[in-house]
Amino acid sequence: MNSSKSPGLAGFGILKNTTCHTEKKISVFFSIIFMTVGILSNSLAIAILLKAYQRFRQKSKASFLLLASGLVVTDLFGHLINGAIAVFVYASDKDWIRFNQSNILCSVFGICMVFFGLCPLFLGSVMAVERCIGVTKPIFHSTKMTSKHVKMMLTMVCLFAVLIALLPVLRFRAYQIQASRTWCFYKTEHVEDWEDRFYLLLFSCLGLLALAISFLCNAVTGITLLRVKFKSQQRQGRSHHFEMIIQLLAIMCVSCICWSPFLVTMARIGINESRSKETCETILFALRMATWNQILDPWVYILLRKAVLKNLYKITRGCCGVHIINLHMWELSSIKNSLKVAAISDSPVSSKQINLQPLSSMGQ
């Protein structure tokens, strides 16, 4: 234990005087519940995506389905790998000295925590950019945003997240066992070296940047949808506006509420020289909130769709007895109709046709 520079004993110094104690039964209960609910919800989302992809093989939906599939598959593997390691740690009574002599498990755990933390945030921002392009520039989206380009973006996002996760290992900086002895991450105890600060700030800044991009693109998408709704005299795109606005609000709220505490906490630890006594409990609380984001992702992106909203409307209408929205507005292929309206409103050909109609009537 005196050889703290040895790779096999990296991070064990924190096990001596830890001020963060968690009850074993409660912690195991949380880990099993988070793992089970995450696997079930993401598996259900994957099944729904595969069914939707078989039914609607439209080019306009291919990019969204591929990105959504990458998101839920990443969340699924994140729950499987991180959840399995966490349950193993609790089952071993958090005795890292016994099963982590070479620090391999802690390194794998830390790499998975960073990768499965950043990758869903990156994919969420890419999905927000894709939706923004699809709504604001539908012609460009239909001609340039092909499945090949989407697969390349997915590969680049995953490789970038892997690079960030492997950066400490490539720099011979071992991942550290945290004060609760339940997970591994960057060094958060007595951060004094500039490189340790850099990793914490890099993780938090990249995560906050992904959230900011998602917020900005979703805001632009929502404003554009509202403008198209008020400009168009047709009523066919109204259901799509209603569906998309609810999805955008849910995506922004869930992502910001779940991930902001953890990212801000990591940034505060990276900036401040000393930690407060409550930081360990704060990190655990923020980590559990971030885990809930991966659980809620499939429900926000996949299950909160027109069919579910329509059934909720029927139930609400039956309970309250109030007629709010005409159900005839929920037309088939509403996404295609709204994009068509946006394309026609932005197309110069449509304006020429509208201007030529009065001239032709006068000639007659």
Side-chain angles (χ1 to χ4, degrees):
M1 291 298 296
N2 293 331
S3 179
S4 59
K5 295 182 180 180
S6 175
L9 299 177
F12 286 157
I14 199 175
L15 303 182
K16 290 183 177 180
N17 298 320
T18 176
T19 59
C20 182
H21 299 280
T22 57
E23 295 185 11
K24 181 178 179 180
K25 294 182 179 180
I26 297 178
S27 300
V28 173
F29 175 77
F30 272 116
S31 298
I32 295 176
I33 289 297
F34 285 167
M35 180 179 175
T36 304
V37 174
I39 291 174
L40 291 178
S41 60
N42 284 281
S43 300
L44 179 61
I46 292 175
I48 292 175
L49 271 176
L50 293 177
K51 184 178 179 180
Y53 189 78
Q54 293 176 357
R55 289 182 58 189
F56 305 101
R57 293 181 176 271
Q58 301 177 5
K59 188 176 181 181
S60 59
K61 291 185 178 180
S63 58
F64 173 78
L65 290 176
L66 286 175
L67 292 173
S69 300
L71 178 66
V72 295
V73 168
T74 303
D75 288 336
L76 176 62
F77 279 100
H79 283 287
L80 280 173
I81 298 176
N82 292 337
I85 298 177
V87 172
F88 172 77
V89 171
Y90 282 118
S92 303
D93 201 16
K94 299 182 286 187
D95 190 4
W96 288 89
I97 300 178
R98 178 169 57 87
F99 58 80
N100 192 50
Q101 288 292 332
S102 59
N103 203 41
I104 296 178
L105 182 62
C106 185
S107 298
V108 173
F109 201 2
I111 291 172
C112 292
M113 290 293 294
V114 174
F115 173 79
F116 291 112
L118 287 179
C119 196
L121 290 176
F122 293 161
L123 290 177
S125 62
V126 172
M127 290 180 68
V129 173
E130 185 270 337
R131 284 193 304 269
C132 184
I133 296 175
V135 172
T136 57
K137 303 293 181 181
I139 299 177
F140 175 82
H141 181 273
S142 61
T143 56
K144 302 297 183 181
M145 192 72 68
T146 61
S147 299
K148 181 180 179 180
H149 295 153
V150 175
K151 292 178 181 178
M152 290 178 60
M153 286 190 297
L154 279 173
T155 304
M156 292 176 62
V157 167
C158 293
L159 290 178
F160 183 66
V162 169
L163 177 62
I164 298 299
L166 291 177
L167 194 59
V169 179
L170 297 176
R171 293 284 301 171
F172 301 101
R173 291 273 182 167
Y175 281 93
Q176 299 291 319
I177 303 171
Q178 301 303 302
S180 62
R181 299 190 300 164
T182 57
W183 60 297
C184 294
F185 200 66
Y186 301 125
K187 185 177 180 180
T188 57
E189 280 279 343
H190 308 292
V191 180
E192 297 178 357
D193 190 82
W194 69 268
E195 193 168 352
D196 294 329
R197 297 177 184 276
F198 171 76
Y199 294 141
L200 290 172
L201 293 175
L202 179 64
F203 179 86
S204 59
C205 290
L206 288 176
L208 292 173
L209 179 62
L211 289 178
I213 293 175
S214 300
F215 181 85
L216 179 62
C217 292
N218 289 334
V220 173
T221 303
I223 294 174
T224 304
L225 288 175
L226 290 176
R227 291 179 59 186
V228 172
K229 171 187 174 181
F230 290 119
K231 282 184 179 180
S232 175
Q233 297 179 356
Q234 303 178 9
R235 303 170 66 90
Q236 58 185 6
R238 188 170 179 178
S239 61
H240 172 57
H241 300 322
F242 183 72
E243 177 187 7
M244 284 297 297
I245 290 174
I246 291 180
Q247 288 181 348
L248 296 176
L249 290 176
I251 289 168
M252 288 187 293
C253 292
V254 170
S255 298
C256 293
I257 292 175
C258 292
W259 269 108
S260 295
F262 186 78
L263 296 174
V264 172
T265 302
M266 293 296 106
R268 188 172 64 246
I269 295 175
I271 295 174
N272 297 331
E273 294 183 0
S274 59
R275 296 175 54 210
S276 61
K277 295 181 180 180
E278 294 81 16
T279 302
C280 178
E281 287 76 12
T282 302
I283 293 176
L284 286 177
F285 177 76
L287 182 64
R288 287 167 181 167
M289 289 190 64
T291 305
W292 271 108
N293 181 81
Q294 294 182 341
I295 296 175
L296 296 175
D297 268 344
W299 298 91
V300 173
Y301 287 102
I302 309 301
L303 302 182
L304 194 59
R305 50 196 169 91
K306 186 177 68 174
V308 178
L309 294 176
K310 187 175 180 179
N311 292 330
L312 290 176
Y313 168 78
K314 289 181 180 180
I315 296 174
T316 305
R317 184 185 177 187
C319 295
C320 300
V322 180
H323 182 77
I324 302 174
I325 302 174
N326 188 6
L327 290 180
H328 294 290
M329 297 177 184
W330 296 87
E331 300 179 1
L332 190 62
S333 65
S334 59
I335 297 179
K336 182 178 179 181
N337 291 332
S338 64
L339 293 179
K340 182 179 178 182
V341 171
I344 292 175
S345 62
D346 294 338
S347 177
V349 179
S350 60
S351 60
K352 290 181 181 180
Q353 292 177 354
I354 294 174
N355 294 331
L356 288 176
Q357 285 180 359
L359 295 177
S360 60
S361 60
M362 290 177 62
Q364 292 176 358

